[in-house]
């Protein structure tokens, strides 16, 4: 008996030995095949070719060459347009190949540059960047108000005065009249209700898009916090904001993400400490002129470390410093109009929602003439990027041929997709300019 | 297992010590009983003491003896005519010692298991193959797997290698009817049983009854041949213990090999481009497949490496004990089999097991009790418990293989880099092979078959010598329970692209679900009763007469409401009963005559017409019994020529779903509502005048032994005509208004062929013996009438062609150029077929090629020829065996997912042979090389998506499934030594066995025996086994 077990053991041992030998053969093979090469600072970085020759944002882009190394953190790829270098996102690389995504850039024949450590390589060949623009429907049917959950095709919404773009085509909207907070996912093709009985306004999102705060429109202003880890379920953090007696339409976080900023209808600019919501500081009780309508939307610019807010009836955009002390007329204030021009010469028509993209450009909704306006951060030029002036509708397609129906809320995700919520139009739309 | 063995060893030790204590000085006394292996006392046995010729005695009428004053360590000899002598060394006084003498079995007395009993092999006239039980001790996956190529007359095929489903399908002398059942009756100790439930260690004899004379007595059940298995019984003598253990490593010898991502993508582009479409993948994407820089969106996943193991284990143990004395004898056996599936489960995913493991436990107890000198009671109990494990998904595990043929390396990775499980397919609604295996829960199927047989045999020699009567009652209870714990353990996602910062964007397409629980159970019960009267007597030393009358009744009842055509029928037991008889006469073992008759009943005929009479006659002549032949033809040791004729009946009818149709003579009326209100309508039309389906079987055979018994040859030729096969009458005009086509005796078929075996045995020197063996089975058939409508051309008929013959278009190769297409008949399967597509023959000459041009081709997927040959060499205590088996004249079509390239676009693997340019036709416009327009390419011009012209059954895709297999090779060593004996071990045999070691064939892609069109099946395993057999 023991002999048998001994034999089995030997047998297994030999079999194992055989396996180990076979394994090691394979292992050796693999090692010799994968000649791991690192970047050699003493050799030049050479770019031989790239493909494809043209494309838009997020086009998969391959650069062939040599001495790229394998460390993603050392390698940078730049597309240079008529303005500046645009850094591409590198997904993967080996010593001879870089795989990256084409970044957003100005249209035209742009150059490509690879920087590895201290060295860099260029190529004479140029890349044709093609801007793709479109407006599409996320949920709702133009003019058909409702509160229906379900698929996005079946879903109906009320007037949206607040919108949070959470990346990957996920949104949270704040509807007035129905006083509901809705969750919208394009990926899951569904709209559902997160919260009822709360007339929320344009929320503030943290940079990671994992935490959201919204202030109730009417006095007393309730403040709710929402956390992605709790599946965005609402949690009240304050029942009122002492010192604010006017309607609030928006809130914003600064770069510390510790304070919630607001500017009410009466021109009071202040902030509330999230960790201690009873700590409310009124930074400037007369922040800009008041105007004669309720609507004033606020956003924070990381690039300029300041806030911008619209005042609807004044047809302009104010810029205010974080401490609230410095308030300046930033754009418009030239009466009702839709003139595309440098920011102080341009005119707006009832600006409402305001949001900012990753480069610090501002986007403002002309709520009564249905336009999306862009204020270029570098040039300061105001342009119309979507909508047809004076036309109330729900047309999708090329942005300048599309139409909106009282667009009021706007929010931009990390991929610079612009989401627009309408008041009477009762739709949420996506504007992608890439 | 180990513990039990130690226990037994300890016990043996203890008994030895007792023996040592009993030692005495001086003289001792030995007394006891002498008996044969059946426990019958032997009177008159001569008992002598070797060292002292004066001492000695003979056993008395009760077999008892007593020797006194014997010297210590004397050797006592027991001799008796007709029995082998036995010597015993005595070292102490012993009373009640048991001496068992073995009967001497010469060629002349060798018995063979025949229908309902045993006959001396020399005098049988039927066509019967037996298999040496030793050959069944190889570590095969099941008993049925060992038959093909080993037993002449059996056509067997193995289609799957999955533990628990790896049994062979087999037919005795091929398929002889296209009626309800073409499979053989399996009898275990006289009662219908399941061959795969038997532990091969328990088998005493294994015979296959092939012709009508051998099977007539079984009535309706024996129409397609009978396999008769008897299990081991206890033999008188001291306790004998045998232990067998097999430890096996298995691996998949052959599986389809699929192209990797880069090859796949290039071929996909070719498939689109050569049809004037845009390529599927851009150069950037091809580069990503090549470099592997984006394993999320451009993966290169080898699913086989992920979900299959290289090796898995089989273990098999058997422990049996036997012994007994004059009043009772016993044989008991315990078996355990554990086969592990080949799947590589992710242990971190679940705590439970999802591999397709199979475990079987066998228990058997055969007890014989002599109630009186003439009355014997036998009780057989056996129980087979099997446990089959698998993932919960699907009704069987085929999906685990089909999904491997569907999901390509470029579809999805196992998990995305963000940790999410990947899903594939249109809309991402299909789980990956990995998820199907690991995340769908598990299923356990538990089968239990219990059988108890009680028989009583009475010798009626007080009435007349040679008369015996026997009664048997058998009860079989089969229960199965399947418990399914189904769930989707983790949600699965589809990646749609990347965000600006490079993060992967995924959509959840499959939601996870909590575990659900489902179970189904089924029981069947079978009751069997028989009684028989046997007569056997030799008159005047020359006239040997035997007779048999046999009556049986079998009753099957099942809880399965889907067992029969209509649910209500399951409440009615299914019964068979018959009375049959046999008479044989032989004169001086030279002239042999045998007559059999069966009078069988079936419920399928109306009362009063239920019985049919089925006679069979056979005769044999053994000229070697003549002195003249013995003198003048001494090189022939034995020659027998035999012939038989007989009819066997069958009354089984199955419908198109394969379910049994019962009581076809009944018309069923059902009330139903219609425009005229409630009316009564016929839903089933009863058939009056239905007859038995009858097979008339002819057999001629010879048995020869020549050159001093060195050669042993048996050859049989056979012809079977099956008439009145049940089919639904289709050629009834609608005007008749029949609600349903009734079953009638319509079809007919004949089959013919030959089978035989040749053995050569040679002793080379003192220690070396050589055995060469070969056998073959050749079986052809032709349908002589098939009820059919809608035949426009004679070749569309199923009549006058072999049953199951492959049908397809005749391919004339690939179109050379546009002129070739223009000058050929129009092929109607699709528009825009091009050079490099398959060109077919317009059989009916109507100028178009369509489905009317489908003709019967060469063979069916059941081989016509099966053969096997073996060599065994034994040298001292070593033996070497090699066994080859093969089949030929068999074909099937290749095709389907994983074979037809890009048949379903993005889903479906591509064989890596396609990447070899010489295997496919590529237009010069794509390749730039006119040599790629290869007219002999294995694959036509590629198509992305379905190509209705190419992807259809034709000779282009027909595979010749002939093969020769090195089925088995074995080296074994038998170890006997005093050292072992000291521990009570009489011998230990160690073997190394290789199974399915090599295959020579033409399919090459996967095992030809599996007849799989795309290789998406559990592969037949190659096995390496270490076997140990110990006798105590």
């Amino acid at each position: 008996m023991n002999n048998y077990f001994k034999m089995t053991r030997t047998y297994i041992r030999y079999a194992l030995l055989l396996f180990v030998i076979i394994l090691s053969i394979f292992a050796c093979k693999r090692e010799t095949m994968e000649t791991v090469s690192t970047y050699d600072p003493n050799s030049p970085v050479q770019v031989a070719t790239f493909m494809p020759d043209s494309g838009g944002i997020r086009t998969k882009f391959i650069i062939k060459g040599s001495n790229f190394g394998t460390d993603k953190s050392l390698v940078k790829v730049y597309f240079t347009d008529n303005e500046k270098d645009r850094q591409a996102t590198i997904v993967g690389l080996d010593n001879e190949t870089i795989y990256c995504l084409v970044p957003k850039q100005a249209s035209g024949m742009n150059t490509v540059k690879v920087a590895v450590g201290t060295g860099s390589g260029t190529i004479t060949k140029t890349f044709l960047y093609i801007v793709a623009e479109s407006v599409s429907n996320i949920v709702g049917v133009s003019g058909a108000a409702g509160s229906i959950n379900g698929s996005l095709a079946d879903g109906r919404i009320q007037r949206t005065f607040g919108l949070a773009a959470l990346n990957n085509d996920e949104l949270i909207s704040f509807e007035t009249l129905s006083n509901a907070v809705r969750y919208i996912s394009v990926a899951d093709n569904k709209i559902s209700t997160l919260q009822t009985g709360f007339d929320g306004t344009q929320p503030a999102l943290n940079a990671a898009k994992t935490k959201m705060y919204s202030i109730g429109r009417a006095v007393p202003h309730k403040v709710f916090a929402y956390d992605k880890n709790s599946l965005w379920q609402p949690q009240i953090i304050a029942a009122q904001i002492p010192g604010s007696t006017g309607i609030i339409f928006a809130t914003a976080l600064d770069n510390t993400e510790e304070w919630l900023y607001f500017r009410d209808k009466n021109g009071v600019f202040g902030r509330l400490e999230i960790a201690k919501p009873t700590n409310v500081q009124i930074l400037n009780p007369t922040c800009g002129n008041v105007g004669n309508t309720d609507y004033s939307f606020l956003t924070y610019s990381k690039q300029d470390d300041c806030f911008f807010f619209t005042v609807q009836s004044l047809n302009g955009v104010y810029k205010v410093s974080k401490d609230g002390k410095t308030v300046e007329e930033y754009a418009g204030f030239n009466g009702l109009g839709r003139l595309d021009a440098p920011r102080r010469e341009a005119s707006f028509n009832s600006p409402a929602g305001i949001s900012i993209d990753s480069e610090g450009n501002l986007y403002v909704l002309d709520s009564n003439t249905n336009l999306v306006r862009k204020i270029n951060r570098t040039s300061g030029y105001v342009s119309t990027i979507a909508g047809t002036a004076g036309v109330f509708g729900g047309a999708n397609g090329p942005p300048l041929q599309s139409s909106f129906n009282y667009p009021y809320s706007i929010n931009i995700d990390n991929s610079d997709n612009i989401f627009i919520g309408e008041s009477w139009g009762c739709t949420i739309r996506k504007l992608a300019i890439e | 297992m180990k513990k039990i063995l130690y226990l037994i060893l300890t016990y043996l030790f203890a008994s030895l010590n007792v023996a040592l204590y009993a030692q005495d000085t001086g003289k001792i006394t030995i007394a006891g009983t002498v008996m044969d292996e059946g426990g019958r006392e032997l009177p008159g046995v001569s008992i002598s003491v070797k060292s002292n010729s004066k001492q000695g005695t003979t056993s008395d009428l009760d077999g008892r003896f007593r020797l006194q004053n014997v010297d210590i360590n004397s050797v006592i000899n027991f001799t008796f005519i007709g029995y082998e002598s036995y010597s015993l060394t005595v070292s102490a006084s012993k009373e009640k010692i048991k001496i068992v003498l073995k009967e001497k079995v010469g060629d002349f007395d060798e018995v063979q298991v025949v229908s309902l009993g045993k006959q001396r092999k020399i005098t049988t006239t039927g066509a019967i193959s037996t298999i040496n039980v030793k050959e069944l001790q190889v570590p095969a996956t099941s008993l049925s797997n060992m038959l093909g190529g080993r037993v002449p007359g059996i056509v067997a095929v193995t289609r799957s290698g999955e533990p628990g489903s790896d049994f062979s399908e087999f037919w005795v002398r091929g398929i002889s009817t296209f009626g309800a059942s073409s499979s053989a009756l399996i009898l275990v100790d006289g009662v219908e049983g399941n061959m795969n439930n038997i532990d091969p260690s328990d088998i005493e004899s294994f015979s296959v009854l092939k012709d009508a004379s051998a099977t007539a007595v079984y009535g309706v059940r024996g129409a397609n041949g009978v396999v008769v298995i008897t299990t081991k019984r206890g033999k008188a003598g001291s306790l004998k213990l045998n232990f067998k253990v097999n430890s096996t490593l298995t691996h998949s010898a052959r599986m389809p090999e699929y192209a990797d991502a880069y090859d796949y993508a290039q071929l996909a582009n070719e498939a689109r481009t050569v049809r004037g479409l845009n390529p599927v993948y851009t150069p950037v994407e091809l580069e990503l497949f090549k470099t592997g820089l984006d394993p999320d969106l451009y993966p290169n996943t080898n699913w086989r490496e992920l979900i299959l193991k290289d090796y898995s284990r089989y273990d098999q143990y058997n422990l049996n004990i036997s012994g007994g004395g004059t009043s009772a004898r016993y044989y008991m056996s315990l078996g355990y089999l554990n086969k592990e599936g080949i799947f590589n489960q992710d242990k971190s995913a679940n705590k439970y097991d999802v591999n397709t493991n199979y475990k079987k436990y066998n228990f058997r107890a055969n007890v014989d009790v002599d109630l009186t000198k003439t009355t014997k009671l036998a009780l057989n109990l056996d129980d087979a418990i099997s446990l089959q494990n698998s993932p919960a998904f699907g009704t069987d595990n085929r999906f685990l293989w089909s999904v491997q043929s569907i999901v390509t390396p470029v579809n999805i990775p196992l998990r995305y880099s963000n940790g999410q499980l990947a899903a594939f397919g249109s809309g991402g609604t299909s789980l990956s092979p990995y998820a199907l295996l690991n995340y769908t829960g598990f299923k356990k199927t538990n089968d239990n078959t219990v059988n108890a047989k009680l028989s009583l045999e009475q010798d009626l020699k007080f009435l007349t010598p040679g008369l015996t009567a026997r009664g048997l009652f058998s009860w079989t209870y089969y229960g199965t329970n399947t418990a399914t714990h189904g769930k989707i353990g983790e949600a699965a996602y589809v990646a749609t692209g990347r965000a600006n910062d490079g993060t992967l964007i995924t959509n959840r397409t499959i939601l996870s679900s909590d575990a659900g629980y489902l179970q189904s159970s089924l029981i069947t019960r079978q009751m069997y009763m028989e009684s028989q009267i046997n007569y056997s007597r030799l008159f005047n030393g020359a006239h040997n007469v035997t007779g048999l009358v046999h009556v049986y009744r079998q009753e099957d009842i099942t809880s399965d409401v889907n067992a029969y055509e209509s649910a209500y029928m399951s409440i009615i037991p299914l019964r068979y009963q018959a009375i049959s008889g046999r008479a044989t006469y032989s004169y001086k073992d030279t002239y042999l005559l045998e007559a059999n008759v069966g009078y069988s009943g079936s419920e399928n005929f109306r009362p009063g017409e239920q019985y049919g009479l089925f006679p069979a006659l056979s005769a044999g002549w053994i000229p070697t019994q003549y002195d003249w032949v013995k003198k003048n033809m001494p090189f022939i040791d034995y020659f027998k020529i035999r012939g038989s004729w007989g009819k066997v009946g069958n009354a089984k009818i199955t419908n198109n779903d394969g379910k049994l149709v019962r009581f076809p003579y009944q018309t069923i009326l059902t009330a139903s509502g219609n425009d005229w209100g409630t009316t009564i309508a016929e839903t089933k039309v009863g058939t009056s005048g239905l007859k038995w389906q009858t097979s008339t079987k002819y057999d001629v055979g010879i048995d020869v032994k020549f050159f001093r018994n060195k050669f042993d040859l048996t050859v049989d030729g056979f012809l079977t005509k099956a008439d009145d096969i049940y089919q639904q009458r289709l050629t009834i005009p609608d005007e008749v208004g029949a609600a349903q086509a009734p079953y009638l005796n319509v079809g007919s078929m004949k089959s013919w062929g030959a089978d035989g075996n040749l053995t050569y045995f040679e002793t080379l020197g003192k220690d070396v013996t050589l055995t060469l063996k070969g056998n073959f089975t050749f079986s052809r058939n032709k349908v002589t009438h098939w009820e059919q409508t809608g035949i426009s051309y004679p070749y569309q008929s199923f009549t006058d062609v072999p049953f199951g013959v492959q049908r397809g278009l005749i391919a004339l190769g690939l179109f050379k150029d546009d002129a070739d297409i223009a000058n050929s008949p129009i092929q109607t399967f699709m528009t825009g077929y091009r050079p490099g597509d398959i060109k077919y023959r317009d059989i009916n000459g109507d100028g178009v090629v369509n489905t009317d041009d489908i003709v019967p081709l060469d063979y069916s997927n059941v081989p016509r020829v099966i053969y096997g040959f073996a060599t065994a060499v034994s040298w001292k205590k070593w033996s070497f065996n090699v066994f080859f088996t093969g089949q030929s004249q068999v074909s099937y079509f290749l095709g389907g997912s994983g074979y037809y390239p890009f048949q379903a676009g993005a889903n479906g693997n591509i064989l890596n042979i396609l990447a070899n340019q010489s295997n496919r036709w590529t237009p010069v416009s794509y390749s730039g090389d006119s040599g790629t327009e290869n007219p002999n390419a294995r694959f036509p011009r590629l198509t992305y998506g379905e190509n209705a012209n190419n992807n259809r059954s034709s000779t282009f895709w027909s595979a010749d499934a002939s093969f020769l297999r090195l089925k088995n090779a074995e080296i074994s060593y038998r170890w006997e030594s005093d050292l072992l004996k000291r521990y009570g071990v009489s011998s230990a045999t160690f073997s190394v066995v290789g199974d399915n070691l090599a295959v020579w064939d033409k399919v090459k892609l996967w095992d030809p025996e599996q007849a799989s069109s795309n290789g998406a099946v559990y592969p037949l395993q190659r096995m390496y086994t270490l076997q140990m057999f110990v006798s105590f």
Side-chain angles (χ1 to χ4, degrees), chain B residues 70 91 99 131 219 246 306-307 334 339 342 388 538 559 712 790 829 865-866 868:
Chain B
V70 181
S91 52
I99 305 295
I131 183 163
N246 285 341
L306 290 172
I307 71 161
L334 207 60
K339 292 196 213 176
I342 201 82
Q388 173 97 54
L538 182 67
S559 71
D712 188 342
F829 308 113
V865 178
I866 289 229

Side-chain angles (χ1 to χ4, degrees), chain B residues 584-613:
Chain B
T584 70
Y585 169 75
S586 66
Y587 176 68
K588 285 190 172 172
D589 287 342
T590 310
Y591 307 100
L592 316 166
L593 272 177
E594 184 174 325
N596 286 281
V597 67
Y599 188 64
S600 294
S602 165
E603 60 176 24
N604 273 2
F605 309 111
R606 57 177 70 234
E609 299 168 10
Q610 284 164 320
Y611 285 85
L613 189 71

